[in-house]
Amino acid sequence: MKDLGELMKQAGAMQAKMQEMQTALDDLDVEGAAGGGLVKAVVSGKGHAKSVSIDKSLMDPEETEVLEDLIVAALNDARTKAEEQAAEQMKSLTAGLPLPPGFKMPF
């Protein structure tokens, strides 16, 4: 039973740290880019879109499909980077806990 008590204590500490990490992820801004940096997108650490900036050279009414594709690519790039940063933070948070391989904590 001693091991169970220690595990419960670790779980409580991890829960507090996860709450801190959730707040930090909301405050984190991650930038993604496409088209050589002509389109940039910023998302939160949780992947919520915050802003998009577009270089004026792309403002051609005849090229709207290219611009749309670049916006999607920039958002996807930013979201991928945010997911990677969140995974790194989770990895450091759960270090030392006896979790099964591939176990994913909820966000």
Side-chain angles (χ1 to χ4, degrees):
M1 277 301 177
K2 208 175 205 183
D3 290 336
L4 180 60
E6 184 60 31
L7 185 60
M8 294 301 288
K9 186 191 267 186
Q10 287 179 341
M14 186 176 75
Q15 185 176 15
K17 287 181 182 179
M18 279 192 65
Q19 187 62 37
E20 289 174 22
M21 189 178 83
Q22 291 290 328
T23 302
L25 287 174
D26 272 339
D27 295 336
L28 179 67
D29 287 347
V30 182
E31 183 179 283
L38 294 175
V39 176
K40 296 178 183 174
V42 176
V43 299
S44 73
K46 289 185 175 182
H48 300 282
K50 289 186 163 188
S51 68
V52 174
S53 65
I54 303 166
D55 188 273
K56 302 242 184 279
S57 67
L58 293 174
M59 301 294 187
D60 182 353
E62 302 298 318
E63 298 291 329
T64 57
E65 287 182 26
V66 172
L67 180 55
E68 291 165 350
D69 290 343
L70 290 173
I71 292 169
V72 170
L75 285 167
N76 286 336
D77 183 46
R79 186 161 186 171
T80 298
K81 289 176 181 177
E83 289 171 355
E84 289 170 356
Q85 287 188 20
E88 277 300 311
Q89 288 185 15
M90 181 59 70
K91 188 173 160 184
S92 67
L93 178 68
T94 59
L97 287 178
L99 299 175
F103 183 79
K104 295 191 182 223
M105 298 295 285
F107 276 96

